[in-house]
DNA sequence: AATGAATGAGGATTCATTCAT
DNA sequence: GATGAATGAATCCTCATTCAT
């Protein structure tokens, strides 16, 4: 009897191994063999399931975005006011999970990958749109017409803080990151709809 | 007497070619041969002058930081009030030169490189320190004790805006980038030293 | 199930090809590609199985020493007197197999390799120790306390004759080589335990 | 005024540097640049004087053989009996100078070189002939018709002892080497003309 | 489903050698 | 006489990918 239903298990193992490997090396310069080994299988099997290295990377991006989206959704469930909605999004962005140096590094590298891979670019663009859309939706009742612009700045600030975390190798401090963004948000809220 | 004094010329040509090549490919995955060819020489000569690929990259980072630092200095010369100082720094960061998609892409990739290369990390850390120091100095008279925190956010925002430019491939819009950061700065200024 | 068990076959083919190639060129300056081609495979596979050029060389030394050791053992089986024991060792050292110009040349080159490679040095040292130990054991009953010194000279003489064979390119004459060493041995035996 | 008579000085510097470099590395795998640098000049000049790397090597062999020949001649001047003649040759072969590990290593490597280079082979063959001829001449009055064979064995023994010195890296012990060969010679002398 | 076997293509690096000055 | 400049030709090694089993 052939093992059945292995595919999703293998794929997930590979995707997680990919993220771990990129995080550890800090580069996309990881070999399929390294990934496959970490996932406990042969590199040939990795190719069998994904077709090629780039597709593994794309799947890894998709996976990370999916996790992130779920976190945001989860956080939004608890939020019942616009202000808490915005904070929920920021908090989800800097969740301990997303803020492990390994994850930060992967994220950075996927941005780089997006410059080569159309699919990667598409995925990251969607993520950015959603992030801004979510922020805008939360901000609208709070800052009115300025929601669009503010959302853009918050999104950029989130990414910028991320970027700086990928440097320095120090232990990422997500509380501080969170604070940094929320301080700005509050500033905008103070200003209100003016 | 042999032909002499070629070294600085060759080195600069290589450094510029490196940035161009990285910008064009969007990756650090460029070959020494490609770089050398673009610089109009053999790859052997590139090795002769730099010793290795990574050192070429490091020199490229150093070069970019140098140019940027000069731009900031140049912009600061004109600035005679704290507010214009801050704006000068932001403007220099988003100068047309630094905002060519090619440059943006290189910048991104150097962040990635910093995760592998100690020297690269060191250089970028210095850049970040200086940027924040400059901002802090300009902000102090305007926002008092909050200068430190605000400088951090402005720096992160600059990087975040940069990051988002590297995506989407569209023609970079430096006026808009500038505006995005300055809007935030003004917001902080309005709040003042409170 | 994949094709299996190729490794030992490939390794042996590579080792033999290495010796042949070195013998033919008279140098360690042979490329991995040459070796691999002669062994009927790609250079990449050679690297896959050995990890690197030096390790191929070391394996070749080990192989040659193994063959030689087996020859000595085989010759010793037939020997039932001290005198025949000594002769067996000498004869094995100059067996037609070991005396093919190709083998002689490899041997020479491995001595040179030992000056760079610790592992090569270790292996050759062990070989020398064993050779002398074997000789000493056979000589003890014949020359008593002088066994140590005589064994050293016989060993050196064997190597010296080898060395001279590697020169001149002429067809190696193993009978003569044999005689040369045995003449000396007999001289020592005549002197006896005095 | 152009520097004049530089040629012989430069050539000798290069030759000595070659021997030193080979001795230090234990291989012929030394670069012309290394040699030239050690000799205090550019690699281009080395080529200018010798035409190519192999010719530098050949000159180095010639130089070493010349020095050795001079040593033998010098030692022979003092010798006035056949027995002392033979000893003089052996002693010269193992002179401290020739027995520096550096020299031993070069010697070994030149044997290897002789398998590629006709000229090297020619030179070493001549050396061997002379050595044997000298030995034969000294031995004739002592061992009569056996002189030819004995000379061959002594020569081989000298080389074999050399060979073993190149291994093990230990400080070469020329007194012991000397003794090893002379013990054998005495043995032959005891046997006399029989 | 799974993998060991196998390779082609490519890339960093080295080096002997040439040349213009 | 002397050398910095320059390169073509290697060479080792890596790796994504394919294939037979």
């Amino acid at each position: 009897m052939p093992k059945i239903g292995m595919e999703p298990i293998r794929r997930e193992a590979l995707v997680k191994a990919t993220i771990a490997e990129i995080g550890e090396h800090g580069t996309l310069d990881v070999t399929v063999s390294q990934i496959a080994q970490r996932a406990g299988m042969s590199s040939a099997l990795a190719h069998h399931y994904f077709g090629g290295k780039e597709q593994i990377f794309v799947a890894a991006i998709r996976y990370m975005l999916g996790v992130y989206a779920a976190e945001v959704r989860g956080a939004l469930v608890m939020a019942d006011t616009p202000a808490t909605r915005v904070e929920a999004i920021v908090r989800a962005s800097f969740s301990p999970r997303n803020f492990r140096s390994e994850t930060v590094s992967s994220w950075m590298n996927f941005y780089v990958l997006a410059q080569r891979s159309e699919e990667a670019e598409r995925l990251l663009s969607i993520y950015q749109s959603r992030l801004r859309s979510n922020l805008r939706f939360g901000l609208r009742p709070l800052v009115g017409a300025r929601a669009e612009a503010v959302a853009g700045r918050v999104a950029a600030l989130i990414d910028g803080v991320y970027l700086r975390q990928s440097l320095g190798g120090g232990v990422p401090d997500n509380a501080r990151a969170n604070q940094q963004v929320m301080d700005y948000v509050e500033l905008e809220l103070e200003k209100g709809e003016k």
Side-chain angles (χ1 to χ4, degrees), chain A residues 90 94 99 161 165 173-182:
Chain A
V90 174
F94 292 138
F99 223 67
V161 169
Q165 284 299 332
D173 179 348
N174 66 320
R176 196 168 166 284
N178 215 46
Q179 195 56 49
Q180 235 171 336
V181 177
M182 288 313 296

Side-chain angles (χ1 to χ4, degrees), chain A residues 2-162:
Chain A
K3 278 189 245 178
I4 214 159
M6 276 286 96
E7 177 153 353
I9 297 172
R10 295 296 199 186
R11 289 180 77 101
E12 186 173 348
L14 281 166
V15 158
K16 285 182 173 167
T18 301
I19 293 165
E21 207 68 25
I22 291 175
E24 196 166 278
H25 288 244
T27 320
L28 292 174
D29 281 329
V30 294
T31 71
V32 174
S33 295
Q34 286 164 348
I35 293 171
Q37 186 167 34
R38 186 186 276 254
M41 71 196 82
S42 71
S43 69
L45 194 55
H47 273 88
H48 176 66
Y49 278 124
F50 282 99
K53 193 185 191 180
E54 182 154 324
Q55 284 134 300
I56 298 178
F57 282 158
V58 169
I61 297 185
R62 191 171 280 134
Y63 176 83
M64 278 189 45
L65 293 175
V67 169
Y68 172 66
E71 283 178 320
V72 172
R73 272 197 309 277
L76 284 177
V77 163
M78 321 285 230
D80 43 13
T81 70
T84 51
R85 285 186 70 83
V86 173
E87 188 177 359
I89 295 168
V90 174
R91 185 162 295 159
S93 298
F94 292 138
S95 76
R97 187 180 202 304
N98 269 325
F99 223 67
R100 284 205 300 259
S101 83
E102 163 194 308
T103 314
V104 173
S105 180
S106 295
W107 217 256
M108 277 296 303
N109 276 286
F110 289 147
Y111 270 84
V112 165
L113 178 60
Q115 306 194 354
R116 274 186 279 161
S117 159
E118 284 218 358
E119 184 67 2
E121 210 240 285
R122 210 177 55 79
L123 289 172
L124 284 179
S125 292
I126 291 175
Y127 143 74
Q128 290 198 334
S129 298
R130 281 212 199 127
L131 175 59
R132 281 172 64 159
S133 162
N134 277 326
L135 287 169
R136 212 184 311 124
F137 183 71
L139 287 165
R140 181 88 58 194
L142 303 168
V143 301
R146 289 166 46 242
E148 174 71 30
V150 174
R153 287 198 292 270
V154 173
L157 194 50
I158 289 173
D159 283 356
V161 169
Y162 239 91

